[in-house]
């Protein structure tokens, strides 16, 4: 499942993480996080960077939902139970 910029922003908000906090957790730069959360989205970054952000957010307690997993049919995020 590919991630969207909106999912990254929402996941970070659920964890109450700043962009610098996510950058530190993912071992990336703040400009990289900003770029991934912008209109350009994660697709403007490398697969390794996207995976590092995904891993950091999942370790923080986020679960990414694909379109088929959401009641409304769109991609989303939630916290682990």
């Amino acid at each position: 499942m590919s991630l969207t910029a909106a999912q990254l922003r929402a996941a970070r908000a659920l964890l109450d993480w700043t962009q610098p906090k996510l950058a530190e957790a993912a071992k990336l730069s703040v400009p990289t996080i900003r770029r991934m959360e912008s209109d350009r989205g994660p697709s403007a970054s490398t697969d390794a960077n996207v995976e590092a952000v995904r891993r950091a957010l999942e370790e923080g307690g986020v679960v990414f939902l694909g379109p088929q997993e959401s009641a409304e049919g769109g991609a989303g995020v939630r916290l682990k139970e």
Side-chain angles (χ1 to χ4, degrees):
M1 172 182 73
S2 62
L3 299 179
T4 66
Q7 281 179 296
L8 296 181
R9 290 190 303 269
R12 192 169 52 77
L14 282 172
L15 297 174
D16 196 27
W17 283 8
T18 62
Q19 287 180 335
K21 167 70 178 163
L22 176 54
E24 179 183 334
K27 295 179 177 47
L28 298 171
S29 70
V30 173
T32 297
I33 301 301
R34 283 190 189 126
R35 191 170 39 257
M36 290 174 70
E37 290 186 358
S38 75
D39 290 340
R40 294 173 63 191
S43 63
S45 196
T46 67
D47 289 342
N49 287 353
V50 174
E51 185 55 35
V53 168
R54 175 195 294 273
R55 192 175 327 108
L57 291 167
E58 287 177 341
E59 288 174 3
V62 167
V63 175
F64 290 97
L65 305 172
Q68 69 283 1
E69 299 170 279
S70 174
E72 298 298 320
V77 295
R78 68 171 176 81
L79 290 175
K80 289 180 187 172
E81 295 178 4

